Amino acid sequence: GQQLNQNPQSMFIQEGEDVSMNCTSSSIFNTWLWYKQDPGEGPVLLIALYKAGELTSNGRLTAQFGITRKDSFLNISASIPSDVGIYFCAGPQNNAGNMLTFGGGTRLMVKP
Amino acid sequence: DSGVTQTPKHLITATGQRVTLRCSPRSGDLSVYWYQQSLDQGLQFLIQYYNGEERAKGNILERFSAQQFPDLHSELNLSSLELGDSALYFCASSQNTGSMRYTFGSGTRLTVV
């Protein structure tokens, strides 16, 4: 089945730094989504991308749909302590229906 | 509050037992999804219901079953529990079968001892 690989698996950064993470797949995706999971909570949708090359922002977060359609990137600018959590990429399983496959997540820790 | 309600928040039970997890979707959402999140497997899709009918099955064990009731709430039944079933179980909902914009609940943490 499809697998989504996220890198890095974890990051420990200083408050104020910019963050970059990515998600890659062996197969093409026609939609990419980025979710954030706070400790003890369920994932929350941050950004959805629907077209190759698309660049979408949500506040300090910017995500891009890779041109090859096999990858996506999430950047966070000027990180703050509340950015702590696990960031997941997701895409439709087998590019059919709306069941999502999730990546393994990138755990972000921010030092004040 | 996401609008998706899951109960209970925590559950501790013994091996061999059976438990029921409950989910109320966000108002207006017809589609419900169940996911299992364990440390070594990440978020794994279990099953989807839409307006009372099963729509898709993922990596759901035969010991597990689910249903969606006329009021759209859903229950996930886990039986003959094993230690390896310990995980977070999330319910998510979306408006219809075409939307990938899921709203997740806060999850039920199941511990099998």
Side-chain angles (χ1 to χ4, degrees):
Chain A
Q2 292 169 314
Q3 277 196 322
L4 295 178
N5 299 305
Q6 288 191 244
N7 282 294
Q9 287 188 320
S10 63
M11 308 178 72
F12 190 61
I13 62 167
Q14 193 77 35
E15 182 178 358
E17 288 183 355
D18 296 343
V19 173
S20 290
M21 61 188 78
N22 66 69
C23 184
T24 59
S25 170
S26 57
S27 54
I28 289 172
F29 274 73
N30 54 30
T31 302
W32 287 94
L33 303 107
W34 284 92
Y35 283 81
K36 182 195 176 198
Q37 184 176 21
D38 288 331
E41 298 295 329
V44 174
L45 180 64
L46 298 173
I47 293 176
L49 303 161
Y50 301 102
K51 200 165 58 175
E54 180 180 350
L55 191 70
T56 298
S57 292
N58 178 4
R60 294 177 296 104
L61 277 63
T62 301
Q64 184 162 23
F65 193 139
I67 297 173
T68 66
R69 296 169 66 193
K70 290 185 177 182
D71 53 14
S72 180
F73 309 89
L74 178 69
N75 297 310
I76 305 173
S77 62
S79 58
I80 58 178
S82 63
D83 291 333
V84 164
I86 305 176
Y87 292 80
F88 291 99
C89 63
Q93 280 188 329
N94 304 312
N95 278 320
N98 66 331
M99 286 75 66
L100 294 179
T101 291
F102 283 82
T106 291
R107 183 181 295 272
L108 179 65
M109 292 158 281
V110 179
K111 185 176 177 183
Chain B
D1 181 11
S2 68
V4 177
T5 304
Q6 287 189 250
T7 56
K9 277 196 79 69
H10 303 276
L11 200 48
I12 301 175
T13 191
T15 54
Q17 294 299 303
R18 182 180 189 275
V19 297
T20 298
L21 313 183
R22 184 186 166 104
C23 168
S24 293
R26 199 178 58 155
S27 178
D29 286 355
L30 298 178
S31 207
V32 169
Y33 314 82
W34 286 97
Y35 278 80
Q36 180 191 57
Q37 186 178 37
S38 55
L39 280 174
D40 57 345
Q41 293 288 325
L43 276 160
Q44 298 288 314
F45 170 67
L46 296 178
I47 198 163
Q48 177 197 9
Y49 279 82
Y50 175 74
N51 206 20
E53 292 188 3
E54 181 184 304
R55 269 305 175 105
K57 260 184 173 177
N59 301 321
I60 188 166
L61 300 171
E62 283 193 15
R63 301 183 284 109
F64 296 1
S65 65
Q67 53 184 325
Q68 186 179 28
F69 295 87
D71 67 352
L72 301 177
H73 91 269
S74 178
E75 292 181 355
L76 179 67
N77 302 297
L78 315 176
S79 61
S80 302
L81 285 167
E82 302 174 0
L83 295 177
D85 297 327
S86 296
L88 270 166
Y89 290 85
F90 285 105
C91 168
S93 70
S94 70
Q95 278 192 323
N96 50 49
T97 56
S99 174
M100 282 175 270
R101 302 177 78 94
Y102 292 4
T103 301
F104 279 85
S106 297
T108 293
R109 181 174 292 280
L110 174 66
T111 304
V112 183
V113 297

